[in-house]
Amino acid sequence: MQDWIVRRQLNGTPGVAEINSFGGELKQYEVAIDPNRLKAMGTSITEIFTALEKNNQNTGGAYIDKKPNAYFIRGIGLVTSLEDIRNIAVKNETGSVPIFIKDVADVRLGSAVRYGALTYDGKVDAVGGVVMMLKGANSNEVVNNIKAKIPTIQKSLPDGVVIEPFLDRTDLVDRAISTVEKNLIEGALIVIFVLVIFLGNLRAGLIVASAIPLSCSLL
């Protein structure tokens, strides 16, 4: 639930394509069928499966053309709570009492089977997420926008749930830029030194050294 809150609030951030989350338990609705009640009601698992499938989907329709606008018609039938699932009719024959999911099964919250886990310091179960940046976006700007939103998101999370970044791309970018600057400066100094020593021409050294940053910017 918490990772859904974070994804929803970060998806509107400029430069963010999506948020991929991992770890924790995946929330799901479970329908635990009681065989005895199922037999007593004269229904089958197939009928329950069909009823759940038909009552948990969006249906697209046609559209009404009203120039210059077009109004699309669709039926929204996704369940949003346990009570919605319980009240789905399995059988509703004419002249008989309808049979609902709650009459033959127990509906509850559960979690999907886990095949791995994310832990904090190997002790506490945690949930992680990777923010995917849009192609061509400025990584520093995107990271700063995310950092600006974190305090607001933190306020909407339950007590004890804390957002803690474990990989900040700005550190990598800053180190890469620092390395490039260092190499450019050292390369320019070496070129000037070699040309001055062997040719005795400071002007030639400066001209060749100036070509180093220009060639890098073209790349």
Side-chain angles (χ1 to χ4, degrees), residues 163-203:
I163 299 176
E164 184 173 326
F166 61 90
L167 177 61
D168 192 339
R169 187 172 178 178
T170 53
D171 294 336
L172 174 62
V173 174
D174 290 341
R175 288 198 299 269
I177 293 174
S178 177
T179 302
V180 172
E181 291 177 348
K182 178 183 177 182
N183 292 339
L184 286 175
I185 294 172
E186 290 179 351
L189 292 176
I190 291 172
V191 169
I192 294 172
F193 177 77
V194 170
L195 290 177
V196 169
I197 292 296
F198 289 96
L199 299 180
N201 192 334
L202 179 61
R203 181 170 176 272

Side-chain angles (χ1 to χ4, degrees), residues 109-157:
L109 291 175
S111 59
V113 177
R114 298 180 65 178
Y115 297 97
L118 175 69
T119 60
Y120 183 82
D121 288 339
K123 300 176 182 178
V124 182
D125 195 11
V127 177
V130 177
V131 180
M132 307 301 292
M133 186 180 68
L134 285 172
K135 182 179 180 181
N138 187 302
S139 59
N140 278 343
E141 291 181 0
V142 174
V143 172
N144 289 332
N145 290 335
I146 293 171
K147 288 180 178 179
K149 275 198 171 184
I150 286 180
T152 303
I153 299 173
Q154 184 65 63
K155 295 177 181 178
S156 63
L157 298 177

Side-chain angles (χ1 to χ4, degrees), residues 90-103:
V90 180
K91 282 186 177 180
N92 193 10
E93 299 175 354
T94 304
S96 63
V97 178
I99 300 174
F100 299 100
I101 293 293
K102 61 185 177 183
D103 297 325

